[in-house]
Amino acid sequence: MSTKASMRFMPAFLRPRRKHKPNLEAPLRTWNIVTGDKVIVNYGPCKGQQGTVLEVIRKSKRIVVDGVNLRVKNLKKKYWEEKGTSIMAPASLHYSNVNLVDPVSGLPTRVGTGYLDDGTKVRIAKRSGAIIPKPVFQRHKPMNLVAGPLDTSPEDVMEVTYNPDQGDLPMIPNFQEPAEDPEDVQSEDDLIRILVVVVRPSTITLLT
């Protein structure tokens, strides 16, 4: 059975959807949901499901939640495969269909902002008044802190190679000016035969 024929027998909420276009109208002033937050769906067929935010798509005002709104995703075949495979992957949800989870009660809550004594901006759950901490950002590929043979040493980076009090930059050692090509040297007769541009009110003529 072909892929198109199998889609007919598949429920509508499992069929793959096209990518959503960017929604540039009425941009959001504040975005309280970030990657790694725990949210709960409050509207739609997935109402009541909880999960962790995997991706935030701010241009289209949508988010991807782990294990929520699963859809069939068709993968392209590899060069060693006869045909591609299909997997179940989470599709995006509109940001207005989810709420952050209250860390005290575990229920969906709206979010406000506040400031600590040291001036740090924090998110506050309006249901219980508790602070919702932002998750720690984790890199997919950890930063390599070990210097390799092709890396510049810290001593070379901090070395001062220019002093503005000395004036011009020092000349390059063993610098030699390029020799003139005999064919490029013009004689006096060639210099006399130049083009003289005479500008008139209506025309421009060239005299040799």
Side-chain angles (χ1 to χ4, degrees):
M1 183 180 296
S2 61
T3 305
K4 293 183 179 181
S6 62
M7 293 295 175
R8 299 177 183 176
F9 303 97
M10 187 179 299
F13 64 90
L14 289 179
R15 296 175 185 173
R17 295 182 300 184
R18 297 181 179 179
K19 293 183 178 180
H20 296 272
K21 296 181 179 180
N23 187 358
L24 302 179
E25 298 180 359
L28 299 178
R29 296 183 179 179
T30 58
W31 192 278
N32 294 322
I33 300 176
V34 297
T35 304
D37 279 334
K38 189 176 182 181
V39 296
I40 183 171
V41 183
N42 55 16
Y43 183 78
C46 303
K47 183 177 180 180
Q49 298 183 14
Q50 297 185 12
T52 306
V53 178
L54 299 178
E55 183 182 1
V56 175
I57 311 172
R58 298 195 179 189
K59 288 186 178 181
S60 56
K61 302 177 184 178
R62 304 183 73 86
I63 62 174
V64 180
V65 185
D66 186 18
V68 178
N69 194 21
L70 296 177
R71 299 278 180 141
V72 177
K73 184 176 182 180
N74 300 322
L75 302 179
K76 293 183 179 180
K77 66 176 183 179
K78 306 297 182 181
Y79 66 90
W80 64 82
E81 297 177 347
E82 295 183 359
K83 63 177 182 179
T85 57
S86 299
I87 61 173
M88 298 295 292
S92 62
L93 296 168
H94 198 264
Y95 81 100
S96 61
N97 294 342
V98 299
N99 282 114
L100 289 173
V101 177
D102 190 346
V104 177
S105 61
L107 299 176
T109 178
R110 299 178 65 185
V111 181
T113 56
Y115 295 89
L116 300 178
D117 296 337
D118 57 353
T120 306
K121 187 177 181 180
V122 294
R123 301 178 298 177
I124 300 176
K126 291 190 175 182
R127 181 180 290 272
S128 63
I131 296 177
I132 304 177
K134 282 192 175 182
V136 180
F137 175 74
Q138 296 180 356
R139 296 180 179 271
H140 296 287
K141 294 183 179 180
M143 184 183 298
N144 186 11
L145 301 178
V146 180
L150 301 180
D151 295 332
T152 305
S153 62
E155 293 77 9
D156 295 339
V157 174
M158 301 304 297
E159 183 183 0
V160 179
T161 58
Y162 173 68
N163 187 2
D165 299 335
Q166 295 180 356
D168 298 335
L169 295 175
M171 296 295 295
I172 301 175
N174 301 328
F175 175 77
Q176 297 179 359
E177 296 184 358
E180 296 181 354
D181 191 357
E183 297 180 358
D184 296 339
V185 178
Q186 298 180 351
S187 61
E188 295 181 358
D189 297 338
D190 295 336
L191 297 176
I192 294 175
R193 297 172 184 175
I194 59 175
L195 296 177
V196 179
V197 180
V198 179
V199 181
R200 295 181 180 179
S202 58
T203 60
I204 298 177
T205 59
L206 300 178
L207 302 179
T208 57

